[in-house]
Every structure is written in C-alpha cells, then in structure tokens.
Amino acid sequence: MATALGNADGPGDFPPPEVAGNDDDYRPSAGEPFMNSRQQDYFRDKLNAWKNAILREAQGTLTQLQNDSMREPDVTDRASSETDWSIELRTRDRQRKLISKIDAALRRIDEGEYGYCEVTGEPISLARLEARPIATMTVEAQERHERQEKVSRDE
C-alpha cells in the first residue's frame, strides 16, 4: 500500500533531485501566495532537473548496452549478466513512464493547474509537492482513491 505521500505508482518513481542554484536556495513557503510565479518556476526547475537526470541515466544505460558484450564465456556468468540487464531495462521502462508524468506536471504548470488536486480542486500541500512534484491529488484524496482501489480489488 502507498504511504501518506501517495507513492502508489511504485518503485519506478525515483525521488526527484534537489534543485541546485535555484534563486539563492529558495524554498516555497506557506507564507506566500500559493503557486505564485516564483513557486511555479521552482517546481518547473525541479521537474526539469528530475527529467534530465533520468534521461542522462537512460543514455548511460544505452551506451553501456552498446559497448558491453553479452558473450560471457561461462553460462552462469551469462545468466547473471542477463538478469542484471533485465532488471536495469525494467527500471528504465518505469522511468520512461515517470517522464510522461513529469511532462504532464510541466503542462499543468503552463496551464495554471499545477498544485491543485484533480479530485477536489484544493491546493496540494507544499510539503507533498516538494516530496512528490508529480502529485495530482491531496493526501486525503489519494488515500480515498487507494481505499476505493483496494475495495475494488477485494471484490
């Protein structure tokens, strides 16, 4: 089951990197207007940094796949290498799906919808957006959604 931060999308949702050099270490705070232009810029930078980190890792994997030989002389070593690559490729596939969620969040920023729950329309807490910038629901709405999913699966 997902945590209170709503990591329902699974292990492929790697944490976003910290945004370096963003407006003198600016952090959004509750004492300012919600989703003002500075907050939008902050989250846009955070999402783009996360996406770029994923793309760099994927390029590294591709380069390594092209350069490394899968022709291990020992059958056991070959099986081990194939298992490692299978895990790596599954991770990259989850990250590919994550990129589409990051792109959707960037579109929501451009459309002025970012930071608001898609179910209730209420603001999503800054702490939740900081931890999970692709969040589309408040913690409460996410928990209700997960309870409904669990009931559906149990029937």
Side-chain angles (χ1 to χ4, degrees):
M1 181 158 148
T3 67
L5 289 178
N7 290 332
D9 297 320
D13 285 1
F14 303 94
E18 292 302 312
V19 179
N22 187 5
D23 269 354
D24 299 325
D25 297 325
Y26 167 77
R27 291 271 187 216
S29 71
E32 58 187 316
F34 187 71
M35 279 306 125
N36 62 55
S37 61
R38 196 169 185 200
Q39 287 182 358
Q40 289 177 2
D41 289 344
Y42 172 82
F43 285 110
R44 183 180 289 110
D45 290 348
K46 187 173 185 101
L47 288 160
N48 279 319
W50 193 9
K51 180 178 175 179
N52 290 334
I54 291 169
L55 292 173
R56 276 191 307 276
E57 288 178 30
Q59 185 58 47
T61 299
L62 183 60
T63 300
Q64 193 171 1
L65 265 173
Q66 292 170 338
N67 294 336
D68 285 357
S69 172
M70 291 291 282
R71 297 185 195 118
E72 302 282 348
D74 183 68
V75 174
T76 305
D77 290 342
R78 187 176 318 132
S80 179
S81 291
E82 288 173 3
T83 300
D84 291 347
W85 278 114
S86 175
I87 292 168
E88 182 72 18
L89 292 173
R90 278 194 305 249
T91 299
R92 295 293 160 244
D93 186 51
R94 286 192 301 269
Q95 287 181 333
R96 179 186 54 80
K97 293 172 185 170
L98 180 56
I99 285 175
S100 70
K101 292 177 184 182
I102 292 170
D103 287 340
L106 290 166
R107 276 191 303 277
R108 287 194 306 276
I109 290 173
D110 293 340
E111 295 166 359
E113 298 172 359
Y114 182 80
Y116 295 92
C117 180
E118 67 183 10
V119 175
T120 66
E122 297 173 10
I124 299 171
S125 74
L126 290 173
R128 176 165 168 75
L129 290 172
E130 187 72 43
R132 185 168 178 73
I134 59 172
T136 59
M137 291 185 254
T138 62
V139 171
E140 296 80 13
Q142 181 73 41
E143 288 173 346
R144 271 194 311 274
H145 175 73
E146 290 171 6
R147 280 193 300 273
Q148 289 170 346
E149 273 188 348
K150 184 178 181 334
V151 169
S152 300
R153 278 194 312 259
D154 292 346
E155 291 177 347

